[in-house]
Amino acid sequence: MAAKLPTADVEAGLLAHLNSNAEIPDSRTFASSLGVSHKELEDVIKSLSAFRIVESADITKETWVLTDEAKGYAARGSPEVQLVAAIPPEGASKGALKEKLGDVFDIGMKAAAKNRWIGFEKGNKDLVLRKVEDIKDELQGQLKSLKNGEVVAAKTIDDLKRRKLITKEKSIWYSLKKGPEFVAKRKTLATDVTREHLKSGDWKDLEFKDYNYGAQGQPIAIGYVQPLLEVREAIQNIFVEMGFSEMPTNMFVESSFWNFDALFQPQQHPARDSHDTFFLKAPATTTKLPDDYLEKVKQVHQSGGFGSKGYGYDWKRDEAEKNLLRTHTTAVSTRMLYKLAQEKPFAPKRYYSIDRVFRNEAVDRTHLAEFHQIEGLICDYGLTLGDLIGVLEDFFSRLGVSKLRFKPAYNPYTEPSMEIFSYHEGLKKWVEIGNSGMFRPEMLLPMGLPEGVNVIAWGLSLERPTMILYGIDNIRDLFGPKVDFNLIKSSPVCRLGL
């Protein structure tokens, strides 16, 4: 095998040829004459063209080339001919032929049967008989002709395409001539002044490569803004602008009492089932609950009170003491409202929280088992549903979400209740982004809040509005183990309206 020609020698050969002949009509032929691949010559041509030493013109041609499967047929024969050649005069079983021919057996059987080159013994479909003696392998001849660059009939091309034995390949080569800066030998330009140059003084005679001031520098390794955190910060700022105070949300583990019972959610509610909630094995329960308040919650569940009939069931403390991963940050809201009720005299408050919650849900394009919940609430005298709608429209407009719809809904701890929908431009449909309502008296009055005090509240996931604002249609690209880092890197530094 001939040694590979160095790039410098390829360049020298090309320039010497152009210096003597002025033109190279076909770079493929010239590459063969140098004993190098066309790719090696192409790299040299591109380098010389960049310095206008040579001028190149592209020559493009589409040709049919053999697939790997077809190359095997061109060398060993078509499957049908291989099959017939493998059948002895007395015939052969399908199993024996398949073992001998391997992958080409099935293809060969179909083609040979279609050509009526084979038959089967009467009453024994497993024995394959040869019906012809001499066969001309037309397929092999066609493939060899195509491989050698010979002209092949259009019908033959169609047949080979149908059998997926050929594929179209685009070939590019070049015609070359001298450029305006042509030289018989390219001078190597210096790129840096070295210590040796300064010591010897030969830097005075060096020619330096021109600086390309339009070239891009190396990418700087920097941090990127995660869309989820950007929207979280924007929402925090909105809450602060609207006069809200942040609630402490550092307890991922919560008791069923604060997560469900204190919210007037019955103990037989489906949301309290293990199919929807992650319960802890250790510690499985808690005993740190306010006994006086717990007794009032028990009474309103069992027999009602404060104008309510209750649920009329046997409320169990054991169920309320079960520990779980909180399913919503409303558990934090319940604690804060109970704390507020103990403060005298009563003072109106606005609270918000943004933190993780956990639900035993099937993961899909719009749902995760672990996600972030945003919650806001206002506690004051005389609040109405109209106040809630007005606050929601103000809140979401500041977030850049203007298309809102409200739909009546049911929640155990709010009445009236509304689902919040926003139009998702990416999905081209209305998507539920949150829930809202007015906390029920059965929840508020056992805490000790004064008569006439109402609480309007709403909750939504952080992921949904982020998906809407960024046009993301799969929540797993945004948060979790399958997050799309390219999406994060390409996210804008800031957003108008956010």
Side-chain angles (χ1 to χ4, degrees):
M1 182 177 178
K4 183 179 176 182
L5 202 62
T7 302
D9 291 345
V10 176
E11 181 178 311
L14 189 153
L15 292 175
H17 186 90
L18 281 178
N19 193 41
S20 303
N21 301 280
E23 186 181 7
I24 297 175
D26 189 331
S27 58
R28 297 176 304 173
T29 305
F30 186 71
S32 298
S33 70
L34 292 178
V36 297
S37 69
H38 188 261
K39 177 66 174 65
E40 291 174 83
L41 180 62
E42 186 178 30
D43 292 340
V44 172
I45 292 170
K46 288 180 178 179
S47 174
L48 293 172
S49 297
F51 290 95
R52 305 176 69 201
I53 296 172
V54 300
E55 288 184 352
S56 63
D58 292 0
I59 303 172
T60 305
K61 185 178 179 181
E62 288 188 335
T63 55
W64 292 104
V65 296
L66 306 189
T67 63
D68 290 339
E69 180 185 358
K71 289 175 184 176
Y73 299 162
R76 296 184 294 274
S78 64
E80 51 268 39
V81 171
Q82 290 186 55
L83 177 82
V84 173
I87 301 173
E90 68 276 12
S93 67
K94 290 181 181 178
L97 290 172
K98 187 164 188 176
E99 184 178 353
K100 185 175 183 179
L101 297 172
D103 294 338
V104 302
F105 169 77
D106 291 327
I107 303 171
M109 279 289 290
K110 290 177 183 177
K114 184 180 178 181
N115 295 336
R116 298 183 178 179
W117 292 350
I118 59 172
F120 300 95
E121 186 179 57
K122 191 173 182 180
N124 183 7
K125 293 293 182 181
D126 185 58
L127 185 65
V128 184
L129 301 174
R130 181 173 178 167
K131 297 176 68 176
V132 293
E133 290 299 326
D134 297 322
I135 304 171
K136 183 180 179 182
D137 197 340
E138 293 184 0
L139 177 63
Q140 186 182 36
Q142 292 165 354
L143 294 174
K144 284 184 175 180
S145 296
L146 200 62
K147 185 179 180 181
N148 295 331
E150 299 173 16
V151 177
V152 179
K155 184 181 182 305
T156 301
I157 293 292
D158 290 338
D159 291 341
L160 296 176
K161 280 167 58 180
R162 180 177 49 79
R163 291 185 68 167
K164 298 180 180 178
L165 295 176
I166 57 173
T167 182
K168 189 167 276 190
E169 187 177 86
K170 187 176 182 181
S171 301
I172 300 175
W173 62 96
Y174 310 93
S175 64
L176 304 169
K177 64 180 182 179
K178 294 177 181 178
E181 305 293 332
F182 179 80
V183 289
K185 183 177 181 181
R186 179 158 52 161
K187 194 172 186 178
T188 304
L189 300 177
T191 55
D192 294 296
V193 178
T194 65
R195 181 170 176 269
E196 286 71 24
H197 290 152
L198 293 174
K199 283 177 67 177
S200 64
D202 63 2
W203 61 270
K204 299 173 186 177
D205 302 318
L206 291 174
E207 279 191 48
F208 289 91
K209 185 177 180 181
D210 291 338
Y211 279 99
N212 181 2
Y213 293 102
Q216 295 290 325
Q218 288 290 328
I220 301 171
I222 59 173
Y224 296 92
V225 178
Q226 217 282 0
L228 207 60
L229 296 180
E230 185 183 23
V231 175
R232 174 182 178 141
E233 183 179 358
I235 291 172
Q236 284 179 317
N237 292 336
I238 289 169
F239 273 121
V240 173
E241 289 170 4
M242 295 176 69
F244 285 72
S245 301
E246 187 171 9
M247 295 184 281
T249 56
N250 55 330
M251 292 176 60
F252 287 179
V253 175
E254 189 55 272
S255 68
S256 293
F257 176 77
W258 291 110
N259 198 82
F260 294 124
D261 295 273
L263 275 73
F264 195 56
Q265 190 159 328
Q267 293 185 338
Q268 66 271 27
H269 193 279
R272 301 180 70 153
D273 189 83
S274 60
H275 293 295
D276 294 301
T277 302
F278 294 109
F279 287 94
L280 267 67
K281 289 185 177 180
T285 60
T286 182
T287 56
K288 296 179 180 179
L289 299 173
D291 291 330
D292 54 342
Y293 175 45
L294 184 142
E295 189 61 33
K296 292 176 183 177
V297 170
K298 174 183 177 180
Q299 289 303 318
V300 78
H301 274 252
Q302 288 190 160
S303 54
F306 311 105
S308 171
K309 294 181 179 180
Y311 291 114
Y313 71 97
D314 184 18
W315 187 88
K316 295 181 175 61
R317 179 167 181 148
D318 290 348
E319 190 69 30
E321 290 177 346
K322 289 181 179 179
N323 285 330
L324 48 81
L325 292 177
R326 66 182 178 210
T327 61
H328 49 193
T329 51
T330 314
V332 181
S333 302
T334 311
R335 284 179 176 271
M336 293 301 293
L337 288 173
Y338 174 69
K339 182 181 178 182
L340 177 62
Q342 313 315 306
E343 298 174 1
K344 308 297 180 186
F346 169 78
K349 293 287 184 182
R350 296 184 176 206
Y351 291 128
Y352 82 92
S353 64
I354 307 173
D355 214 331
R356 294 191 188 188
V357 295
F358 310 87
R359 294 182 189 172
N360 194 0
E361 292 187 349
V363 175
D364 59 26
R365 297 178 71 85
T366 55
H367 295 85
L368 292 175
E370 175 186 356
F371 58 97
H372 296 79
Q373 183 174 331
I374 303 162
E375 184 152 344
L377 66 88
I378 302 175
C379 183
D380 203 349
Y381 287 100
L383 294 174
T384 66
L385 190 65
D387 294 315
L388 175 59
I389 292 173
V391 170
L392 289 174
E393 288 178 342
D394 182 19
F395 173 81
F396 281 104
S397 67
R398 292 170 186 250
L399 190 56
V401 179
S402 56
K403 295 181 180 180
L404 290 180
R405 282 182 180 174
F406 303 99
K407 176 184 173 183
Y410 168 76
N411 284 315
Y413 46 90
T414 57
E415 181 61 38
S417 307
M418 299 185 302
E419 290 174 346
I420 311 164
F421 289 82
S422 173
Y423 189 75
H424 191 301
E425 295 292 346
L427 296 175
K428 301 298 181 187
K429 66 177 183 179
W430 289 89
V431 177
E432 183 186 351
I433 58 171
N435 224 313
S436 65
M438 299 182 67
F439 284 148
R440 298 175 66 109
E442 296 97 324
M443 172 185 165
L444 301 178
L445 295 176
M447 294 177 176
L449 288 169
E451 291 274 356
V453 169
N454 295 325
V455 177
I456 57 175
W458 69 97
L460 62 146
S461 77
L462 177 62
E463 286 77 6
R464 290 282 177 87
T466 304
M467 291 171 68
I468 293 170
L469 288 168
Y470 282 83
I472 299 168
D473 62 1
N474 193 329
I475 194 171
R476 290 167 290 195
D477 291 338
L478 184 66
F479 180 68
K482 295 184 178 180
V483 65
D484 185 350
F485 285 102
N486 290 324
L487 182 149
I488 293 172
K489 289 179 180 180
S490 61
S491 66
V493 175
C494 61
R495 294 182 55 88
L496 293 176
L498 190 63

